C-alpha cells in the first residue's frame, strides 16, 4: 500500500514560485522568435463580421499552404453611416481564443506582431503591399478609403512600395499554387506578404468549412452567453432564431434574386448545396414573409417541445407577435438586451435547434459552429427535410455574388 505524502512549503516560497512562473511566462511572450518561413498580414476589409469570417477561413487555409505564420487581423466594425470614427478595429482575441487556432497552424495576433516583431522583420522603410494589379501607376493604393486607411493607420503602417503579383497566382490552398508563391516571393527576400484584402475566397469554400472548429469563442463572450442562458432560459429545449430583415437586406434581396440561375448569393450554399442539390435561391429564403416565419416557428416549437425561443435580429425580432402566438404553448420568447451580435451568435450555437437565414453569412456562422458540434440547423422557407444540415463531403465552390452588406 502506497502512502501519499503532502509537502507543505512556507508561504513565502509559494509566493516566490508563483512570481517566478509569471516572470517566465512574460519573458517567453516577450522573447518571440522570428519565423524564417515568413508572415502574411491582411486587412479584412470586405463587409461586416459574417463576410470577414467567411474569408478568414479561406485565408487560414491559404496561409497554411504557404507555410507562413498567419498574423491574425483585428475584426473591422462600422458605426453609423457618416459617423466618427468610420470604422474601428477589434483585436482578434476579444472575440476568439488564439490557442485553438495554433493547434491548426502558426498564428500571432496583429497587435503582438506589430509591437514585438515588425520592427525587426518588417521595419519602416521596407514595408511592401501586394495586389493582383496596380490601381494607379505603380501603386496598389491599399490605404485609400474606409476601412482600408483606418485599418493600417491603427498600426501606423505606411507602405514604402508595392508589388503586383498578377496572373498565375491566386489564393487557392493547393501545394502547386503555394510552390509558385514561395518560388516567386521567398521569405528570405519577402518576409512579410501584406494584402489589402483577405487572401481567401468568398463565400467560404466547402472544403474550408471544417476549419470553423478552430474558431472558439473567448472566455469574455462565452461567459456572457452562459450567464444569459442561466438567467433567462429555464431547463428544457430552446429554439434559436436569426432574422435578417433590415432595410439594407431588403435591398439585397430585391436587387440580386431572380436575375440568374445557378448563382449563389452570400451564404446560400449552406442550405442549397454547393452544386444546387436542393434548388435555387428564392425571395422567400432571403426575406421570408412574417406569416411564414410564424408558421415555421410554431411547427418547430411543437416538434421539439421547446420551452423558450431565443431571437437574434438585425432589425425586427418580432417579439410581440411570436409571444402572442406561442402563449397557448407557454413558451417564452427572449432576446439579448444589449444586442451584442457575437454573444447572440454564441447563444444561437447553444440552442437545441436553430433556424437561420439561408442567404446570410451571419446566419452561416452559427450554422457552421453547430455543424461542428453535430447539431441540427434549418432555414427560413426551405423544406426541413432538406435543411436538417449535417457535415458533408468536400466539394468545389461555384459562382457567387461578392458581398453581404
Amino acid at each position: 500500500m502506497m502512502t501519499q505524502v503532502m509537502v507543505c512549503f512556507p508561504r513565502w516560497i509559494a509566493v516566490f514560485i508563483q512570481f517566478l512562473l509569471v516572470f517566465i511566462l512574460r519573458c517567453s511572450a516577450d522573447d518571440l522568435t522570428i519565423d524564417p518561413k515568413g508572415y502574411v498580414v491582411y486587412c479584412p476589409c470586405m463587409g461586416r463580421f459574417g463576410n470577414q469570417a467567411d474569408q478568414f477561413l479561406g485565408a487560414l487555409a491559404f496561409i497554411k499552404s504557404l507555410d507562413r505564420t498567419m498574423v491574425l487581423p483585428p475584426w473591422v466594425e462600422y458605426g453609423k453611416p457618416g459617423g466618427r470614427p468610420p470604422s474601428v478595429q477589434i483585436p482578434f482575441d476579444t472575440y476568439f481564443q488564439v490557442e485553438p487556432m495554433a493547434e491548426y497552424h502558426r498564428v500571432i495576433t496583429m497587435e503582438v506582431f506589430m509591437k514585438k516583431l515588425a520592427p525587426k522583420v518588417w521595419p519602416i522603410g521596407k514595408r511592401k503591399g501586394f495586389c493582383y494589379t496596380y490601381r494607379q501607376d505603380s501603386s496598389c493604393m491599399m490605404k485609400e478609403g474606409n476601412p482600408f486607411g483606418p485599418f493600417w493607420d491603427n498600426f501606423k503602417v505606411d507602405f514604402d512600395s508595392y508589388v503586383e503579383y498578377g496572373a498565375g497566382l491566386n489564393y487557392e490552398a493547393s501545394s502547386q499554387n503555394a510552390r509558385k508563391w514561395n518560388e516567386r516571393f521567398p521569405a528570405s527576400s519577402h518576409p512579410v506578404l501584406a494584402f489589402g484584402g483577405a487572401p481567401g475566397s468568398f463565400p467560404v469554400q466547402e472544403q474550408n468549412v471544417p476549419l470553423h472548429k478552430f474558431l472558439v469563442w473567448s472566455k469574455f463572450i462565452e461567459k456572457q452567453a452562459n450567464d444569459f442562458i442561466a438567467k433567462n432560459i429555464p431547463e428544457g429545449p430552446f429554439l434559436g432564431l436569426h432574422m435578417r430583415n433590415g432595410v439594407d437586406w431588403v435591398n439585397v434581396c430585391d436587387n440580386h434574386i431572380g436575375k440568374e440561375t445557378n448563382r449563389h448569393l452570400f451564404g446560400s450554399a449552406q442550405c442549397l448545396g454547393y452544386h444546387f442539390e436542393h434548388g435555387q435561391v428564392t425571395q422567400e429564403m432571403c426575406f421570408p414573409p412574417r406569416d411564414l416565419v410564424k408558421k415555421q416557428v410554431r411547427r418547430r416549437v411543437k416538434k421539439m417541445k421547446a420551452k423558450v425561443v431565443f431571437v437574434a435580429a438585425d432589425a425586427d425580432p418580432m417579439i410581440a407577435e411570436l409571444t402572442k402566438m406561442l402563449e397557448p404553448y407557454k413558451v417564452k420568447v427572449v432576446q439579448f438586451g444589449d444586442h451584442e451580435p457575437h454573444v447572440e451568435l454564441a447563444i444561437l450555437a447553444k440552442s437545441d435547434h436553430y433556424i437561420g437565414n439561408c442567404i446570410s453569412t451571419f446566419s452561416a456562422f452559427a450554422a457552421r459552429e453547430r455543424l461542428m458540434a453535430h447539431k441540427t440547423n434549418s432555414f427560413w422557407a426551405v423544406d426541413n427535410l432538406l435543411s436538417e444540415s449535417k457535415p458533408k463531403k468536400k466539394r468545389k465552390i461555384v459562382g457567387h455574388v461578392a458581398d453581404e452588406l
Side-chain angles (χ1 to χ4, degrees):
M1 182 175 176
M2 295 184 67
T3 303
Q4 270 192 329
V5 178
M6 293 186 66
V7 180
C8 295
F9 293 105
R11 178 174 173 77
W12 73 268
I13 294 181
V15 172
F16 174 76
I17 291 173
Q18 185 177 13
F19 172 80
L20 185 62
L21 288 172
V22 172
F23 177 77
I24 292 171
L25 288 172
R26 285 182 177 176
C27 286
S28 62
D30 289 339
D31 189 27
L32 295 172
T33 56
I34 293 174
D35 185 352
K37 295 185 178 180
Y39 299 83
V40 176
V41 60
Y42 73 88
C43 173
C45 288
M46 189 193 79
R48 298 180 185 270
F49 178 76
N51 290 10
Q52 293 174 41
D54 262 37
Q55 286 199 306
F56 176 87
L57 299 180
L60 176 60
F62 170 67
I63 295 168
K64 181 178 175 64
S65 74
L66 297 183
D67 200 21
R68 288 172 174 257
T69 292
M70 181 180 195
V71 178
L72 298 170
W75 304 96
V76 175
E77 295 188 356
Y78 303 86
K80 295 180 180 179
R84 289 289 181 269
S87 60
V88 293
Q89 293 71 44
I90 309 299
F92 179 90
D93 53 2
T94 300
Y95 299 143
F96 299 99
Q97 298 179 41
V98 174
E99 291 76 10
M101 297 296 308
E103 293 176 11
Y104 177 71
H105 188 57
R106 304 185 305 281
V107 295
I108 184 173
T109 64
M110 192 160 179
E111 290 74 18
V112 173
F113 173 76
M114 291 303 301
K115 182 178 180 180
K116 303 292 184 181
L117 295 180
K120 302 173 185 176
V121 73
W122 203 40
I124 295 173
K126 295 184 178 181
R127 292 178 174 174
K128 298 178 181 179
F130 287 73
C131 59
Y132 180 81
T133 183
Y134 292 137
R135 293 177 58 192
Q136 181 178 312
D137 299 327
S138 296
S139 174
C140 296
M141 300 180 70
M142 284 170 53
K143 294 187 64 177
E144 297 299 315
N146 179 48
F148 306 95
F151 178 86
W152 296 110
D153 284 343
N154 185 60
F155 297 99
K156 297 180 173 57
V157 171
D158 288 310
F159 293 97
D160 302 292
S161 62
Y162 292 98
V163 178
E164 180 184 59
Y165 60 83
L169 295 178
N170 55 53
Y171 300 147
E172 180 184 349
S174 68
S175 56
Q176 182 179 11
N177 186 51
R179 185 169 57 252
K180 291 179 180 178
W181 274 97
N182 290 330
E183 286 175 354
R184 186 168 169 188
F185 303 113
S188 57
S189 56
H190 298 80
V192 177
L193 301 181
F195 297 103
S201 297
F202 179 82
V204 61
Q205 293 184 338
E206 190 172 15
Q207 61 266 31
N208 295 330
V209 168
L211 296 182
H212 193 105
K213 67 182 178 182
F214 299 107
L215 279 170
V216 178
W217 293 111
S218 67
K219 293 179 181 179
F220 168 71
I221 296 294
E222 191 73 8
K223 183 179 186 305
Q224 292 182 78
N226 289 335
D227 287 351
F228 177 86
I229 290 173
K231 183 178 179 180
N232 298 279
I233 299 179
E235 289 188 13
F238 83 94
L239 173 64
L241 311 176
H242 175 232
M243 300 183 188
R244 190 75 161 88
N245 51 22
V247 175
D248 64 326
W249 192 247
V250 175
N251 293 333
V252 167
C253 300
D254 289 344
N255 294 333
H256 291 293
I257 292 178
K259 301 187 185 309
E260 295 182 61
T261 58
N262 292 334
R263 187 170 180 81
H264 278 303
L265 180 62
F266 309 139
S268 61
Q270 66 180 322
C271 72
L272 297 178
Y274 278 78
H275 293 272
F276 302 94
E277 300 94 319
H278 307 311
Q280 300 287 328
V281 175
T282 69
Q283 184 73 22
E284 285 191 335
M285 288 178 194
C286 191
F287 195 83
R290 302 176 85 85
D291 287 345
L292 184 150
V293 170
K294 291 192 287 186
K295 179 180 179 180
Q296 201 164 333
V297 170
R298 182 171 57 244
R299 184 170 63 237
R300 180 58 63 174
V301 164
K302 292 172 67 176
K303 180 177 181 179
M304 64 185 289
K305 296 180 172 59
K307 301 295 184 184
V308 174
V309 173
F310 171 77
V311 185
D314 64 324
D316 180 9
M318 294 178 59
I319 297 294
E321 289 177 72
L322 293 176
T323 298
K324 182 178 180 180
M325 179 189 75
L326 297 173
E327 188 175 2
Y329 305 97
K330 297 181 179 179
V331 173
K332 184 167 67 170
V333 182
V334 298
Q335 64 181 138
F336 193 75
D338 295 331
H339 184 52
E340 211 299 319
H342 306 89
V343 178
E344 292 174 334
L345 282 172
I347 295 170
L348 290 171
K350 296 174 185 294
S351 63
D352 295 277
H353 186 78
Y354 168 63
I355 305 176
N357 186 300
C358 172
I359 314 301
S360 168
T361 55
F362 187 90
S363 274
F365 189 97
R368 285 196 301 268
E369 182 172 353
R370 297 175 59 80
L371 281 175
M372 298 304 104
H374 302 285
K375 293 185 174 183
T376 56
N377 304 313
S378 55
F379 302 89
W380 304 117
V382 180
D383 188 300
N384 287 337
L385 292 176
L386 297 179
S387 58
E388 298 280 1
S389 306
K390 296 179 181 178
K392 301 175 183 178
K393 294 181 180 179
K394 298 177 181 178
R395 280 200 184 114
K396 210 174 134 182
I397 192 78
V398 294
H400 60 271
V401 174
D403 190 22
E404 177 185 325
L405 299 176

